Amino acid sequence: MNSYFESPIFVKDGSRIVREIAALDDAIEFLDNWPEAHRDLIHETAWRTCCEAFGGHKPLSVAHSAFEGFARKAKILEDPASVMPWIMNAKSGGGLMTA
């Protein structure tokens, strides 16, 4: 199952990487890979909510809100307006130069 969020969530994943969390699978994977030393009640709640949404027991919108709340609390949430110009201005071709 891969349920896409109505709008993606952008988070910092390291010092320079911004990652797009566009689907429930992305959110669960990100939470699973979160360092154990930094896990807390907010992380646990977001993870449990996403898993319950994956199982069809909670709405996708609730999982989206839970993950966004986790990202905000962890101070890794990126403003979509600051990320989107990079995406919108990206050229096709995977960054390869044409001869």
Side-chain angles (χ1 to χ4, degrees):
M1 174 186 174
N2 197 354
S3 300
Y4 288 91
F5 292 141
E6 188 172 311
S7 61
I9 300 168
F10 296 96
V11 294
K12 292 180 212 167
D13 188 6
S15 62
R16 295 184 181 193
I17 298 171
V18 175
R19 188 166 162 192
E20 179 183 29
I21 306 298
L24 191 54
D25 288 353
D26 299 335
I28 292 171
E29 178 186 354
F30 189 90
L31 292 166
D32 280 344
N33 292 322
W34 190 249
E36 286 192 35
H38 295 131
R39 294 181 184 187
D40 58 8
L41 183 60
I42 303 295
H43 171 275
E44 174 67 26
T45 301
W47 180 83
R48 189 175 342 104
T49 302
C50 288
C51 289
E52 289 173 353
F54 186 83
H57 303 289
K58 296 234 180 196
L60 190 58
S61 61
V62 172
H64 182 277
S65 294
F67 185 84
E68 189 173 54
F70 156 76
R72 183 174 289 110
K73 191 262 178 194
K75 298 185 178 148
I76 60 169
L77 186 65
E78 283 289 315
D79 178 20
S82 66
V83 176
M84 292 306 260
W86 290 93
I87 294 170
M88 299 304 287
N89 291 330
K91 295 181 180 178
S92 63
L96 301 175
M97 295 179 66
T98 57

